[in-house]
Amino acid sequence: MRIGLAGTGRIGAFHAATLAGLDPVDSIVVYDLLPGVARATADAVGGSVAPSIEALLAADLDGFVITTGTHTHGELIRAGLAAGIPTFCEKPVAGDVTSSIELAEVAADTDVPVHIGFQRRFDAGYQRLREAVQGGELGWIHTVRAATHDQSPPPAAYIPTSGGLFRDCSVHDFDILRFVTGREVVSVYGVGANKGEPFFTEGGDVDTAAAVLTLDDGTLASVTATRYNGAGHDVRMEVHGSAGAMAVGLDDSYALTSAEPGVQFPPGPRHWSFMERFLPAYQRELAAFVDVAAGRIPSPCTVSDGLQAARVAEACTLSRERGRPVELSEIPGPP
Ligand SMILES: NC(=O)c1ccc[n+]([C@@H]2O[C@H](COP(=O)([O-])OP(=O)(O)OC[C@H]3O[C@@H](n4cnc5c(N)ncnc54)[C@H](O)[C@@H]3O)[C@@H](O)[C@H]2O)c1
């Protein structure tokens, strides 16, 4: 199969390497606005460089992978669909909810599949948690705690185009919360703070945020995110129910030490980045996209799924900005 990839930055170069290692993929063509960056990735994976996005889409592709900045996702998903090429796009679907709604409508009007990149859906821990929750092993669920704590911030230039901490980072928690519980969020209260670099405030963002969510069955969830977690990259989800409790991320590399005397857990080393923490999940995710592109399976994470996560992120952002709770019904989109 021949896969085209647009955007060879942090995650694009990483995905190109993963794709190159998949058996069905025998050829990779890349394009980036920065030709030198595209060339470096092409050389690293034995691929070629397209001189423009038009040339990339005309390169007889079996699948199109979008790993450009968030603000370009909408336009490139549309281009992939217009060319009739099965398309994978990194989260989030688009920079704002209005564009995400428009894209969901465009995607619903075509048979060409779109797969949105929420890799946690392919993580063995989250899959086991989902099975336990939806199979009733934990009884009825009362509380969920989710965290996405990056060890260190991305480059300053990334922040103004990221959409903000809830849309960029917590959106993973919002998606996996739906995936694990099978429930929808109905209301949120979000707050944020910046004790780190001033470029967050200058870009209209925060470096740390928290939200309390109520799900449609009355379950309460808390979600926290930060760009400054010196202890390591910490992605976790705890689900507590009437009959049991289970956690994702409570492994030997857990980025937390115990204050209790004599407790040595965890032995370490700590996770340090999303790429290392979720390597097997990214590999399974892109292998699944190859299956989507070959017509073997439907998209495991549709534009509509991406839209629902985007609506929760939008509600949390609005809540933080206005200083009040926000009902999901206030955010445009399907109920
Ligand atoms: N799933 C995950 O865990 C995960 C992790 C990191 C990033 N992401 C997402 O991936 C996307 C990219 O993030 P990143 O950290 O790699 O950003 P980045 O800034 O490192 O890379 C983006 C690249 O896209 C290129 N680019 C921008 N516009 C383009 C266009 N129109 N055509 C071609 N190339 C273009 C830039 O030159 C740059 O090389 C973001 O939307 C981000 O939310 C997802």
Side-chain angles (χ1 to χ4, degrees):
M1 292 174 79
R2 188 168 168 80
I3 304 292
L5 181 145
T8 51
R10 271 193 318 168
I11 199 86
F14 178 70
H15 280 352
T18 302
L19 285 162
L22 296 175
D23 271 348
V25 177
D26 43 38
S27 155
I28 294 182
V29 194
V30 301
Y31 168 68
D32 194 288
L33 289 179
L34 305 172
V37 170
R39 171 50 58 201
T41 296
D43 288 350
V45 303
S48 57
V49 176
S52 65
I53 191 69
E54 292 78 15
L56 180 71
L57 291 167
D60 198 20
L61 302 179
D62 297 299
F64 175 41
V65 172
I66 302 167
T67 45
T68 51
T70 295
H71 61 296
T72 62
H73 290 180
E75 157 201 346
L76 291 178
I77 291 175
R78 281 170 190 275
L81 291 179
I85 307 168
T87 296
F88 174 96
C89 182
E90 258 308 335
K91 50 58 63 176
V93 171
D96 58 70
V97 164
T98 307
S99 311
S100 306
I101 292 170
E102 288 167 8
L103 279 169
E105 287 166 2
V106 172
D109 273 351
T110 165
D111 290 337
V112 182
V114 180
H115 175 176
I116 303 298
F118 282 110
Q119 83 280 358
R120 293 184 196 178
R121 289 176 176 239
F122 297 88
D123 176 79
Y126 283 106
Q127 291 182 345
R128 171 71 187 104
L129 185 60
R130 179 189 210 224
E131 177 187 77
V133 169
Q134 299 194 20
E137 279 177 59
L138 308 183
W140 49 266
I141 305 305
H142 48 79
T143 309
V144 181
R145 291 196 191 119
T148 298
H149 298 174
D150 282 340
Q151 187 172 33
S152 48
Y158 179 83
I159 296 305
T161 60
S162 71
L165 194 54
F166 283 128
R167 295 191 192 98
D168 183 52
C169 206
S170 305
V171 73
H172 281 288
D173 297 290
F174 303 147
D175 177 69
I176 207 68
L177 184 63
R178 294 181 67 241
F179 178 80
V180 165
T181 64
R183 313 302 314 190
E184 298 292 347
V185 173
V186 292
S187 69
V188 309
Y189 184 72
V191 290
N194 189 9
K195 294 184 171 182
E197 300 278 341
F199 64 73
F200 286 99
T201 310
E202 288 157 11
D205 199 2
V206 292
D207 65 44
T208 302
V212 176
L213 318 176
T214 303
L215 309 192
D216 59 6
D217 65 346
T219 301
L220 300 179
S222 66
V223 174
T224 58
T226 184
R227 303 287 195 184
Y228 289 93
N229 202 54
H233 182 72
D234 186 5
V235 172
R236 267 182 287 141
M237 177 174 272
E238 292 172 15
V239 178
H240 301 264
S242 60
M246 193 179 275
V248 170
L250 192 62
D251 61 11
D252 287 351
S253 297
Y254 192 45
L256 200 62
T257 48
S258 173
E260 300 301 333
V263 176
Q264 300 302 321
F265 178 85
R270 302 291 188 263
H271 292 301
W272 56 275
S273 94
F274 53 86
M275 294 184 190
E276 165 270 327
R277 163 75 171 84
F278 285 110
L279 178 63
Y282 288 118
Q283 289 168 337
R284 285 190 209 114
E285 174 183 60
L286 290 174
F289 172 61
V290 165
D291 282 341
V292 170
R296 286 190 283 272
I297 58 170
S299 169
C301 186
T302 64
V303 176
S304 296
D305 287 318
L307 167 60
Q308 289 304 83
R311 291 181 68 231
V312 180
E314 192 71 18
C316 290
T317 305
L318 185 66
S319 173
R320 175 180 76 75
E321 289 171 354
R322 303 272 168 89
R324 66 167 176 86
V326 170
E327 300 292 315
L328 257 286
S329 55
E330 294 178 54
I331 308 298

